[in-house]
């Protein structure tokens, strides 16, 4: 995939701009030629919920307007990010091809700016439709034939993107035995840097909860003993929260689209990696929100 894309047609964008399914991407090798790029700087987006109808409004919010604002915010950063993650629920409800066509149009300015895009699956996506609509999102020899997973090796950490989509437009998610086995091997093969694991569904840590990641216990059995795993980053709940579990940072990304609770902040997160941790700055759509501009510094467990 070309790293710095010139202005391109929508058809070419569909074919070339997404690298989420590339399996393994080494950012330094791709972007070292551009001195402006900070290899430890990332933009984190989640739950964009884009529909085929760009005028659609939910909870008094136009999702297209919010994504456009997020894209403009990322492009306006003084330090050029190494890439952009979109952590699931790219489509509005059912993962329609028409939804993904609008998604690609809205994200095109990031691609034209030379920013690699990494998209994962949420419960409102349709994996097969995504692969058919966004050609080249799935490599000829994917790491897993049935899931959209990838590894991004970059700077001070390695990113591991998982696929928790189970049934489209059904709330719970699941990784499954095959994906968990792949993750275990992938983590064990890369112990030289901190590992940051990204998944759409929230870990179900409260007994009786059935709306998040159904195999949370099995996932945590993989993450907890591997001390180089430093954070689990997820979305799904449309809230902005940070907690810890046995030293692993649990980072719940806010929704770009809309909140379930009006008091919740929406927007995207500016992430900077350091040798011993990461800094997360909230970029709220509502710049008067108390969370806007606040930076959270997270230190890695030893």
């Amino acid at each position: 995939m070309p790293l710095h894309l010139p202005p391109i047609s929508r058809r070419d964008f569909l074919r070339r701009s997404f690298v989420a399914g590339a399996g393994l991407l080494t950012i330094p090798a791709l972007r070292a030629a551009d001195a402006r790029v900070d290899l430890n700087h990332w933009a984190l987006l989640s739950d964009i919920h884009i529909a085929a109808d760009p005028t659609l409004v939910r909870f008094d919010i136009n999702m297209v307007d919010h994504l456009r604002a997020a894209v403009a915010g990322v492009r306006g950063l003084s330090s050029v990010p190494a890439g952009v993650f979109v952590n699931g629920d790219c489509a509005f409800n059912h993962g329609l091809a028409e939804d993904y066509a609008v998604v690609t149009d809205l994200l095109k300015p990031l691609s034209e700016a030379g920013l690699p895009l990494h998209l994962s699956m949420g419960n409102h996506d349709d994996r097969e439709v995504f692969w058919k609509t966004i050609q080249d999102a799935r490599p000829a020899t994917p790491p897993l034939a049935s899931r959209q997973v990838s590894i991004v090796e970059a700077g001070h950490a390695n990113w591991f993107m998982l696929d928790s989509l189970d049934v489209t437009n059904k709330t719970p998610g699941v990784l499954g035995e095959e994906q968990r086995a792949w993750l275990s091997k992938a983590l064990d093969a890369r112990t030289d840097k901190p590992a940051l694991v990204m998944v759409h569904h929230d870990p179900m840590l409260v007994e009786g909860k059935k709306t998040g990641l159904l195999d949370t216990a099995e996932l945590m059995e993989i993450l907890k003993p591997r001390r180089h795993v430093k954070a689990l980053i997820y979305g799904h709940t449309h809230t902005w929260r940070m907690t810890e579990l046995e030293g692993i940072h649990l980072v719940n990304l806010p929704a770009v689209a809309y909140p379930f609770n009006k008091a919740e902040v929406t927007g995207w997160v500016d992430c900077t990696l350091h040798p011993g941790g990461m800094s997360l700055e909230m970029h709220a759509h509502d710049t008067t929100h108390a969370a806007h501009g606040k930076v959270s510094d997270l230190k890695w467990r030893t």
Side-chain angles (χ1 to χ4, degrees):
M1 149 151 178
L3 185 54
H4 299 290
L5 298 174
I8 52 178
S9 69
R10 181 172 168 275
R11 179 180 178 183
D12 284 342
F13 179 74
L14 291 173
R15 289 186 54 79
R16 298 188 300 163
S17 67
F18 287 87
V19 295
L24 175 62
L25 180 70
T26 304
I27 288 293
L30 289 174
R31 307 210 70 189
D34 190 340
R36 302 172 304 151
V37 175
D38 183 346
L39 300 180
N40 291 299
H41 187 190
W42 300 86
L44 311 181
L45 284 65
S46 189
D47 296 273
I48 60 177
H49 288 281
I50 297 301
D53 178 4
T55 67
L56 186 67
V57 170
R58 189 171 189 190
F59 298 117
D60 299 322
I61 289 172
N62 178 272
M63 291 78 77
V64 164
D65 286 347
H66 269 197
L67 182 54
R68 281 183 176 141
V71 167
V74 174
R75 286 205 58 171
L77 291 169
S78 58
S79 170
V80 180
V84 179
F85 292 106
V86 181
N87 189 30
D89 279 359
C90 301
F92 176 57
N93 261 350
H94 300 282
L96 304 178
E98 295 81 3
D99 298 343
Y100 295 124
V102 178
V103 169
T104 57
D105 283 340
L106 293 171
L107 293 180
K108 185 176 179 180
L110 296 178
S111 177
E112 290 179 342
L115 297 176
L117 306 171
H118 310 273
L119 278 69
S120 61
M121 298 287 92
N123 52 295
H124 289 292
D125 291 306
D126 186 305
R127 195 178 297 109
E128 293 294 333
V129 175
F130 175 83
W131 284 337
K132 289 178 182 177
T133 307
I134 305 177
Q135 299 175 38
D136 293 345
R138 189 187 190 199
T141 55
L144 293 177
S146 62
R147 296 284 181 142
Q148 179 82 1
V149 299
S150 59
I151 302 166
V152 181
E153 297 180 345
H156 292 311
N158 295 323
W159 299 82
F160 298 78
M161 294 191 74
L162 305 182
D163 180 347
S164 57
L165 168 61
D166 186 22
V167 179
T168 299
N169 206 30
K170 298 294 183 182
T171 303
V174 67
L175 297 175
E177 185 176 350
E178 180 186 32
Q179 185 173 188
R180 296 196 308 268
W182 171 83
L183 176 62
S184 297
K185 292 180 180 178
L187 288 170
D188 289 343
R190 295 166 180 83
T191 60
D192 59 319
K193 295 180 183 179
L196 309 178
V197 178
M198 183 174 284
V199 65
H200 177 72
H201 284 81
D202 58 309
M204 295 197 306
L205 302 174
V206 178
E207 187 174 351
K209 185 175 177 3
K210 297 295 182 184
T211 59
L213 188 66
L214 297 179
D215 48 357
T216 294
E218 292 85 348
L219 173 61
M220 297 314 297
E221 286 178 3
I222 295 170
L223 304 185
K224 288 178 182 179
R226 291 170 168 84
R227 302 295 295 182
H228 66 297
V229 175
K230 308 301 184 183
L232 176 63
I233 302 167
Y234 54 94
H236 189 52
T237 69
H238 293 218
T239 59
W240 171 228
R241 296 286 187 278
M242 283 165 285
T243 57
E244 284 188 41
L245 180 64
E246 296 189 21
I248 298 175
H249 293 286
L250 305 179
V251 178
N252 194 166
L253 296 176
V256 170
Y258 50 79
F260 295 137
N261 183 325
K262 287 187 177 181
E264 290 290 344
V265 65
T266 59
W268 59 281
V269 176
D270 190 358
C271 171
T272 302
L273 300 176
H274 309 289
M278 68 179 173
S279 299
L280 301 174
E281 180 180 356
M282 179 68 217
H283 286 251
H285 295 307
D286 177 5
T287 56
T288 67
H289 195 286
H292 177 66
K294 287 196 172 180
V295 178
S296 300
D297 293 314
L298 307 183
K299 294 183 178 180
W300 299 150
R301 64 175 178 169
T302 58

